[in-house]
Amino acid sequence: MASAVKRIGVLTSGGDSPGMNAAVRAVVRTAMFRGIDVIGIRRGWNGLISGDVLRMDAQSVAHIINRGGTILYTARSDEFRTEAGQKKAVATCKLLGIDGVVAIGGDGTFRGCLALSKHGIFVVGIPGTIDNDIGCTHYSIGYDTAANTAIEAIDRLRDTMQSHERCSVVEVMGHRAGNLALYVGIATGATVVLVPEHQWDFKKDVAERIRAARLNNHTHFMIIVAEGAFNDDAIMKNPGSGNMVAQMIRDELGIEPRVTVLGHIQRGGAPNARDRVTATRMGYWAVECLAAGKTNRVVCHQGGTICDMDMDEALAVPHALNASEDRVLEAMIGSER
């Protein structure tokens, strides 16, 4: 069957996540298999505005499936949020004969897709964010690798903290979403996990749980804090959730916590098998959507199956923590009384 598109662009936008290269590779290889030309767009929507592009083929994506980051680079674009910027991007598409775009990123990237589609460009979004905070999909590229990076770091910290009988406060990424903190907290057997989705009381949810652990003869306490755990806007003007929790522990319990902010180390590194395979499946599916004449679609991972969803509907799905993981964590932590 003939393809509905003849030449497509592919870009990565927003925060990078392990597996983006695998998705780019899958888009290029699937398009070539379909007889569709592929243009790589560097630096996200900025590159589409400025014409920062390159032709892509099998050689350009050779040996990148195992690489972290993104060979196309990524950036956030204030100019693309304007009508003038969007018109420049459309002009680039017309000049180069690009009739479809695959954009890999988060919900901000998908909103960019919608803006572009209003000018007649076919668009498909692939979810790529380590926060796993896109409501329409159960899984986002990069999440598993980031979680394993955090778990490995915390396991190493636990060894040294246990040796010195200390309290560890570890801040993981998650400004508006606690998925990563929740998952990592279960995997590391944390004493406390603090996330932005839940209102929490320091004395009840932190101090009393540390006391209970100590009364049960534990001498080391692991506190996992999402960077956005202080979900009060006034408090969030003071950055550093981990440091703030540590100070509260000092004041209330008189112990000296050690704070570790994992930061961007969670974004880097080679993607693991799950992210490589999921990214490849999603990249393939995105090209199949465009070839079939679909537009305004988000590729989703639901119950182990890859599917696609209308982009407006996808953006309307609210983010929520995994309810079963939330219950499991409560049981694991709540048993320490």
Side-chain angles (χ1 to χ4, degrees):
M1 186 174 67
S3 171
V5 294
K6 302 301 181 187
R7 179 172 294 136
I8 65 173
V10 58
L11 61 84
T12 52
S13 179
D16 62 306
S17 60
M20 280 186 165
N21 280 330
V24 170
R25 174 183 179 271
V27 168
V28 172
R29 284 180 170 267
T30 306
M32 292 181 63
F33 180 75
R34 279 284 200 159
I36 301 169
D37 289 338
V38 188
I39 303 297
I41 302 162
R42 296 189 185 98
R43 299 174 180 86
W45 299 117
N46 281 335
L48 196 58
I49 290 171
S50 64
D52 185 4
V53 301
L54 72 158
R55 295 199 73 155
M56 301 193 78
D57 56 22
Q59 186 58 38
S60 63
V61 294
H63 312 301
I64 69 167
I65 194 170
N66 60 313
R67 290 172 55 183
T70 163
I71 63 166
L72 292 176
Y73 309 106
T74 183
R76 305 184 195 278
S77 177
D78 291 331
E79 187 177 5
F80 190 73
R81 293 188 178 97
T82 68
E83 185 69 24
Q86 292 163 19
K87 286 181 178 178
K88 288 179 184 177
V90 172
T92 300
C93 289
K94 289 182 177 179
L95 175 64
L96 300 177
I98 295 173
D99 42 18
V101 170
V102 176
I104 306 162
D107 53 8
T109 301
F110 302 158
R111 295 184 196 283
C113 285
L114 286 174
L116 193 65
S117 73
K118 292 176 183 177
H119 299 275
I121 309 298
F122 285 48
V123 293
V124 175
I126 296 177
T129 166
I130 68 166
D131 291 340
N132 202 30
D133 60 347
I134 300 173
C136 65
T137 183
H138 297 161
Y139 190 80
S140 176
I141 296 168
Y143 177 63
D144 200 50
T145 302
N148 278 283
T149 298
I151 290 165
E152 181 180 355
I154 291 166
D155 284 347
R156 291 172 182 269
L157 277 170
R158 185 186 292 280
D159 290 343
T160 186
M161 291 294 113
Q162 265 185 331
S163 298
H164 293 275
E165 299 183 313
R166 284 178 176 155
C167 176
S168 297
V169 177
V170 180
E171 182 181 303
V172 301
M173 282 189 160
H175 185 66
R176 296 182 181 86
N179 304 68
L180 192 62
L182 174 64
Y183 191 76
V184 168
I186 293 173
T188 57
T191 310
V192 174
V193 178
L194 303 177
V195 297
E197 289 86 349
H198 293 325
Q199 293 288 340
W200 48 273
D201 176 81
F202 174 77
K203 290 192 176 182
K204 172 176 168 287
D205 297 317
V206 181
E208 287 306 317
R209 283 176 171 166
I210 291 174
R211 285 195 181 103
R214 184 65 187 89
L215 289 169
N216 285 328
N217 297 319
H218 297 295
T219 57
H220 169 253
F221 320 107
M222 180 63 69
I223 317 300
I224 307 295
V225 184
E227 62 183 326
F230 287 90
N231 48 21
D232 185 298
D233 288 339
I235 296 175
M236 276 305 295
K237 289 177 182 177
N238 236 339
S241 290
N243 286 309
M244 294 173 73
V245 170
Q247 187 58 54
M248 295 166 81
I249 291 171
R250 287 187 196 98
D251 294 342
E252 179 71 19
L253 299 174
I255 59 177
E256 184 60 36
R258 293 293 189 269
V259 180
T260 302
V261 179
L262 295 182
H264 286 80
I265 192 174
Q266 296 158 97
R267 290 195 186 280
N272 64 15
R274 183 180 185 186
D275 280 321
R276 296 183 197 193
V277 173
T278 303
T280 300
R281 293 174 67 192
M282 286 183 166
Y284 165 84
W285 196 276
V287 176
E288 289 296 298
C289 283
L290 291 177
K294 291 184 176 182
T295 188
N296 290 356
R297 310 299 292 180
V298 174
V299 180
C300 302
H301 185 284
Q302 296 180 350
T305 300
I306 303 297
C307 58
D308 58 271
M309 185 176 184
D310 176 80
M311 198 168 282
D312 284 304
E313 291 180 10
L315 286 169
V317 178
H319 154 70
L321 288 175
N322 184 306
S324 63
E325 289 179 3
D326 210 6
R327 289 193 297 271
V328 167
L329 179 69
E330 183 59 31
M332 296 302 102
I333 289 175
S335 64
E336 192 85 67
R337 292 175 183 170

